[in-house]
Amino acid sequence: MSDHYDIAVVGAGPAGGTAAVTAAKAGLRVVVLDEQPKAGGQVWRAKSASIRSAPKTPETTAGDGLRRTLANSDATLLSDTRVWDIRRTGDTWQLQILRGGQSEQINARALILATGAREYVQPVPGWTTPGVIGLAGATALFKQSLTLPGKRTVISGTGPLVFYVASEIRRLGGTVTAVVTPNTRTDWARALPSMVSQPRLLARGGLWMADLMLARVPILWGHGVSAVEGTDHVTAIHTRNLKTTGTGPTFDADSLCLGHGLIPNIEAAQMLGVAIHHDPALGGWVPDADPDGATQVAGLYLCGDGCGIRGVTAAGLQGTLTGARAARDLGKAAPAPALQSWHRAARFGQAMTRLSIPTPQLAALSTDDTILCRCESLTRADISAEIDTGAASTNAVKSGRRAGMGPCGGKYCQTAIAALIAAQTGKTAADIPPSTPRPPLRPVPLGQAVGDFDYDDLPIPKPAPL
Amino acid sequence: MTQKTTYDIAIIGGGIMGCATALQVTQGGMSAIVLDQGDLGQGASGVNAGTLSLQIKRVKLMPYALKGHYLWEQMGDAVGFAKTGGYTLAFNGREADMLQERQTLKAQAGAPIEFVSNNRLRAAEPNLTQKVEAASFCAEDGYANSSLTGQYYRGRLRDAGIPYREGCKVTAIDRDAGFALHTNSEPIYATRILLAAGAWLKPLAALLGVDLPVNARVNTVSVTERMPHLMGSVIGHATGLLTMKQKANGTVLIGGGWQGLGTPQDRRGTVNADTVKPNLALAQYAVPALATARVTRSWTGFEANVPDFYPLAGALPGVPDAYVLGCVRGGYTIGPYIGQLMGDSILGKEPEMPLFDPGRDFEKDTI
């Protein structure tokens, strides 16, 4: 099967969904491809059918709004669809997709990548113990199935997400043993001016805090989790004061939500030739893109957290800007929305992202025995030894030790490894780019990539000279 | 300020051949420095499929390949060497004829290749398809882990006290008394130079006003996630368009020279789904159980060649004290050995086997 569209949008979160609706409204044939069963992305993840009667939250309401708008638009949504390869031939983008166990090709004249973000977890001793899950990962559990990570949970991490997760766990009947955040009250005071422009979000944050204070949940500011105790499950969480490096309290708990901000998913853009630069306030390495999504690659547009962590409001607004820009480039009349509200939302989002900029104090929570690369079970000492013998880039560490060659393709270890290389070689994070991304964009079963074939039809080229 | 260092030789290109030559000339008493625009061993030397198979070597290069196999075996665990033996398969009559013709010539050239019965093949590799028409076997065949090339040679250069610069791109070369190499960092001075920059030889030689007819193939390799045991030997195809082996960690590496896109000039090759698919199809045809294996990565590497597909190894035409080494078909296998020969030649010794004159007429059969 091969289908032709004007625009293919990868990702149906706030950015991609909005971009698709905007472009479809301009009269273009638009297809949106998304891995999840329903549109909404990670932030507006839809409830599964079994919990449909659960009370609404601001996320489900916003997500339902996007899903309704998409359904009412002329854009075609292909959910449960995995894009595994993208390539440009002439003026056409060719996307290899997996749907229902079959590989298909989608063709489009323009491509909008709205690939979102993934979570960064600073490795600490014991972080691979069952019962430890990502902070953002925990939100996926509540949103989709109202599942809690455990009975007594410590919530630890940076930015506003710790307070959201703590408050949601309490709302759903779980016990929050403690909130442990590397951020200090001073960090938050610095972020305040940018937050004033988003009074509704500020008010929501206030409610989370009030709830935790009323429930007398201990909040440890300027602290990190220094170790997770337990062999086959979490039994206790140890903490450390990051400034004094003094030992903090220990909490009995059966689970830990741990996360240190978001990292843009830039691999698809990189593979298609978009240059990247380092901007800590946008989540690290980000592709070069204009506010309206245009890139130096003709016909390729980027929007949302995938080109810098600016948060959900900015993502939606940038989706509109990008959908309109792509439509205009394809010759349709699509008014350019004002940039002002995007800038305002982006300022707020970046202030939140700044709270998660990795610090040496946070990196110091990893010890020599701490696993940095989960796929290949490599400890910090393993990686460190490789750097000591002259591996001065993420690619060199990957080649020498396989860090980044496992199923995750380096998505979960590269930030910590790059930070270690920088620290050991006296460089900065901006000097150590991530390792070269390789297709497929997602692991793809070989038989499904190949599809049915007749041996005699294989296009076997002339053999090499004898 | 320290005095300006003039090396006996500057080697441009830190792949297998550049590093092997550096080690050889240093052993002979010369001072050498190795420069690479990227990291050591991250070009073709570090991204090829690592196949060490005499069954896919050119007939006239067989003596070099046999020497190469010996050297890889010496390097052993440090490069992930494994001598597993290898089967080459034909799936129809036409391929069986090709197999017969080609492997007979290679056996005559010194490779211990034999033709094997279906029974023997199935006993050795029970997961292979039942559709094999003919097969050959070479007990010398195996593989090494090309990802370890950079790590290995970085260690060897360090142990030998040979300086190297990574991320160092040569932008201009001045000929005065010796050579002045202008780079993106400090300039480098040397009495001699060796161009060993693989697919980037053409633009490099152009800095000296020499036009080398170097082209680049864009070979693709793919790897699966870890799988239960599927094969114990290197599996190839009569046409050479499949090489496959399962590593000790369970991952299956699939190559065969299917062509990706891009040129060395734009620094990156890209995988072409249209050629990866038949490459994977061939692998699945040979070992049907691969259908459920998830492919985790595909990548490309630039393999340099000249029109006659024989090496460039010798003096650079028209530029005294400049040498060139590259374009070796089967360069991963032969690289460590031909680097030694090149080193001996630069030291003024007679190499153990003849080199390949870079000034030859590439359109004629001169080898």
Side-chain angles (χ1 to χ4, degrees), chain B residues 142-204:
Chain B
Y143 59 82
N145 182 355
S146 74
S147 297
L148 295 176
T149 302
Q151 184 197 61
Y152 175 78
Y153 278 108
R154 199 178 286 121
R156 290 284 310 270
L157 294 185
R158 286 188 159 204
D159 290 348
I162 302 171
Y164 62 85
R165 265 199 223 168
E166 296 181 306
C168 175
K169 190 173 165 58
V170 175
T171 51
I173 304 176
D174 283 342
R175 270 249 58 178
D176 199 2
F179 297 88
L181 307 180
H182 300 279
T183 71
N184 53 348
S185 51
E186 294 294 296
I188 286 154
Y189 304 94
T191 314
R192 305 168 190 78
I193 54 170
L194 170 68
L195 314 185
W200 289 271
L201 275 176
K202 193 182 170 76
L204 189 59

Side-chain angles (χ1 to χ4, degrees), chain A residues 82 84-85 87-89 94 96 103-105 270-274 375-376 386-402 404-407 409 438-440 442-451 453 455-456 458-466, chain B residues 39 42 46-47 57-59 91-92 95 98 101-102 105-106 145 147-148 151 154-155 158 164 166 224-226 237-241 249 251 254 258 261 268 270-274 277-278 280-285 290-300 309-310 329:
Chain A
R82 185 157 277 203
W84 63 272
D85 188 74
R87 167 190 159 200
R88 177 147 188 161
T89 306
Q94 298 175 335
Q96 306 293 327
S103 193
E104 300 170 18
Q105 184 174 314
Q270 266 186 293
M271 282 186 218
L272 296 174
V274 180
C375 294
E376 299 290 330
E386 190 66 16
I387 300 166
D388 274 343
T389 56
S393 69
T394 49
N395 277 328
V397 170
K398 176 178 166 183
S399 296
R401 290 310 308 252
R402 292 188 53 83
M405 289 191 181
R438 306 289 196 192
R442 292 282 189 270
V444 50
L446 189 147
Q448 290 179 20
V450 166
F453 66 94
Y455 182 75
D456 294 331
L458 290 179
I460 307 273
K462 200 164 70 89
L466 193 59
Chain B
D39 291 338
Q42 290 281 358
V47 300
K57 294 298 166 296
R58 297 200 70 179
V59 171
F91 297 129
N92 58 34
E95 290 167 6
M98 189 189 292
E101 182 207 334
R102 297 188 144 224
L105 288 171
K106 291 176 192 195
N145 182 355
S147 297
L148 295 176
Q151 184 197 61
R154 199 178 286 121
R158 286 188 159 204
Y164 62 85
E166 296 181 306
T224 72
E225 64 189 331
R226 293 164 194 252
H237 187 249
T239 58
L241 288 155
N249 66 8
T251 59
I254 300 166
W258 292 77
L261 306 161
R268 43 180 226 121
T270 46
V271 170
N272 179 354
D274 293 345
K277 283 181 185 176
L280 299 178
L282 208 50
Q284 187 192 330
Y285 192 81
L290 274 174
T292 59
R294 291 189 307 167
V295 177
T296 51
R297 262 173 301 131
S298 297
W299 64 94
T300 58
F309 287 92
Y310 284 108
R329 193 159 187 102

Side-chain angles (χ1 to χ4, degrees), chain A residues 7-59:
Chain A
I7 298 183
V9 182
V10 179
T18 313
V21 169
T22 306
K25 215 180 280 174
L28 292 165
R29 242 191 121 212
V30 179
V31 64
V32 199
L33 309 155
D34 196 90
E35 286 183 333
Q36 300 297 328
K38 295 235 167 65
Q42 299 295 342
V43 65
W44 293 341
R45 179 181 282 268
K47 290 184 277 195
S48 80
S50 58
I51 58 155
R52 190 122 315 144
S53 58
K56 284 186 187 312
T57 67
E59 281 72 33

Side-chain angles (χ1 to χ4, degrees), chain B residues 32-53:
Chain B
I33 183 168
V34 178
L35 316 175
D36 199 289
Q37 61 178 350
D39 291 338
L40 293 182
Q42 290 281 358
S45 298
V47 300
N48 69 84
T51 311
L52 299 171
S53 169

Side-chain angles (χ1 to χ4, degrees), chain B residues 75-132:
Chain B
M75 295 184 251
D77 287 344
V79 292
F81 174 84
K83 189 192 282 192
T84 58
Y87 291 95
T88 301
L89 313 178
F91 297 129
N92 58 34
R94 189 177 52 81
E95 290 167 6
D97 292 345
M98 189 189 292
L99 186 77
Q100 184 75 35
E101 182 207 334
R102 297 188 144 224
Q103 301 306 347
T104 302
L105 288 171
K106 291 176 192 195
Q108 283 162 3
I113 297 170
E114 51 186 322
F115 293 95
V116 294
S117 69
N118 249 333
N119 283 346
R120 189 176 145 192
L121 179 68
R122 279 182 200 153
E125 295 291 353
N127 294 311
L128 283 183
T129 173
Q130 303 293 306
K131 296 166 188 161
V132 178

Side-chain angles (χ1 to χ4, degrees), chain B residues 224-242:
Chain B
T224 72
E225 64 189 331
R226 293 164 194 252
M227 294 293 288
H229 179 83
L230 290 174
M231 65 200 86
S233 20
V234 173
I235 305 296
H237 187 249
T239 58
L241 288 155
L242 173 68

